[in-house]
Amino acid sequence: MFGFFKKKKKLLNWEPQLIIEVLKCFENNDYLHYINSIKDGILEDVRINENFKNFYTFKYNNILLNKYEILKQKEIEIVDISVFNNINSKYESFKLRLGYGLVLGYEISDRENFYPNFEKIDISRSFKKEVANEDFNDIKKLFSKQELDLLNPNDVYLLEINDLKIYHLFDIEDGNFIGVDKNKSVYRITHDPKEVILLNETILDLFDKSQSY
C-alpha cells in the first residue's frame, strides 16, 4: 500500500543516460524500444513515493506516452546490476523496472550522492523477473473492456486516505488524481487542500478530461 502523494523532482542529466547505457549493455535488441523512447524525451520529471524513497519513477511526456505505451505488456525488473559511483568510488546496486512499453523506474540507495561512471557498468550477475501488480488484479473485474483499454496497470495502486482504501487510477491536474474503491465509487483526490471528493461521473468521462490537462 502506498502513501498519499508522490514528490516531484527535476530529472538529473545522468538519469536518462544511465538507463540507456545499462540497456545497451545487453546484446540483444529487446530493449531498443525503451532506449528510443528515452532518446525521444519521454522522461520529464522524477517522482518519489514517501514509502519507497530509494525507488524513483517518472512523469512522462503525454504525446510520447501515447506513442510508446503498450498497455498489454507485462512488467519486469532487471536486478543485480552494478554501477560505479564516481562520488564514493564504489560499485552500487542498481535495479531497473520496465513494463507497458515504458521505463517505469529505477532503484538506487542514495540518488543525491550518486554520479555514475557510464564506462563501469557490470551486468554479469543481473537477471530479469516478472512483477505482478496485485493491486490492479484485485479490481480489474470492476471495469468494462472499454475502461480497461484506457487504464495503465502500472498506474493502479492502493492507498489509505482518511480511513478509506482507494485505488489510484490516473493523474489529473496539479498532482491530483482519480481513484476508486472496491465498490467502484469514483473519487477525486486533491492535495491542496487535502480532500477526498465522491464524484458522480464515469471513469470514461474523467479520463477524457484528464487528457486535456
Side-chain angles (χ1 to χ4, degrees), residues 111-123:
R111 175 179 180 264
E112 304 305 321
N113 293 293
F114 182 77
Y115 193 87
N117 186 325
F118 300 132
E119 303 299 319
K120 294 183 177 181
I121 298 170
D122 181 3
I123 62 165

Side-chain angles (χ1 to χ4, degrees), residues 182-195:
K182 280 200 169 182
N183 295 316
K184 205 182 177 182
S185 298
V186 182
Y187 300 88
R188 173 190 174 97
I189 295 88
T190 65
H191 66 90
D192 188 18
K194 188 177 286 188
E195 293 182 329

Side-chain angles (χ1 to χ4, degrees), residues 71-186:
L71 289 177
K72 303 303 180 184
Q73 189 182 77
K74 292 184 178 180
E75 190 173 332
I76 65 165
E77 284 184 342
I78 307 175
V79 302
D80 285 354
I81 301 163
S82 294
V83 180
F84 192 83
N85 183 355
N86 283 335
I87 293 178
N88 62 15
S89 299
K90 294 180 181 178
Y91 276 93
E92 300 200 17
S93 178
F94 182 79
K95 180 192 296 184
L96 192 57
R97 185 173 291 192
L98 310 172
Y100 319 109
L102 306 172
V103 176
L104 301 177
Y106 72 90
E107 184 177 300
I108 195 78
S109 61
D110 186 356
R111 175 179 180 264
E112 304 305 321
N113 293 293
F114 182 77
Y115 193 87
N117 186 325
F118 300 132
E119 303 299 319
K120 294 183 177 181
I121 298 170
D122 181 3
I123 62 165
S124 61
R125 295 186 302 276
S126 69
F127 62 96
K128 68 179 182 180
K129 60 181 182 179
E130 284 193 10
V131 180
N133 185 338
E134 298 301 334
D135 291 339
F136 178 70
N137 291 338
D138 283 346
I139 61 168
K140 64 186 294 186
K141 64 181 180 295
L142 296 177
F143 304 110
S144 67
K145 182 181 183 305
Q146 189 177 6
E147 290 167 337
L148 287 172
D149 286 342
L150 295 175
L151 296 176
N152 184 342
N154 178 59
D155 289 336
V156 178
Y157 50 86
L158 179 61
L159 307 105
E160 188 164 334
I161 309 168
N162 299 344
D163 296 326
L164 291 172
K165 290 184 177 180
I166 295 176
Y167 293 83
H168 175 286
L169 294 185
F170 50 85
D171 291 333
I172 48 177
E173 82 290 347
D174 299 328
N176 304 322
F177 64 89
I178 299 299
V180 297
D181 61 21
K182 280 200 169 182
N183 295 316
K184 205 182 177 182
S185 298
V186 182

Side-chain angles (χ1 to χ4, degrees), residues 5-18:
F5 290 101
K6 297 178 181 177
K7 296 178 182 177
K8 186 169 71 172
K9 293 208 170 190
K10 184 178 179 181
L11 190 70
L12 299 176
N13 289 337
W14 60 259
E15 287 173 297
Q17 189 60 38
L18 176 59

Side-chain angles (χ1 to χ4, degrees), residues 9-67:
K9 293 208 170 190
K10 184 178 179 181
L11 190 70
L12 299 176
N13 289 337
W14 60 259
E15 287 173 297
Q17 189 60 38
L18 176 59
I19 296 169
I20 288 173
E21 296 301 328
V22 167
L23 294 177
K24 282 167 60 177
C25 288
F26 296 90
E27 293 181 358
N28 55 41
N29 291 323
D30 287 354
Y31 305 122
L32 188 60
H33 175 90
Y34 302 99
I35 292 171
N36 289 339
S37 73
I38 296 172
K39 288 181 176 179
D40 272 359
I42 194 171
L43 307 181
E44 292 193 338
D45 289 307
V46 169
R47 291 181 172 180
I48 304 171
N49 187 287
E50 60 186 17
N51 289 2
F52 298 92
K53 291 185 178 178
N54 294 330
F55 185 73
Y56 305 94
T57 59
F58 299 104
K59 178 182 182 295
Y60 304 108
N61 177 288
N62 276 336
I63 295 173
L64 293 173
L65 180 64
N66 292 331
K67 176 180 177 181

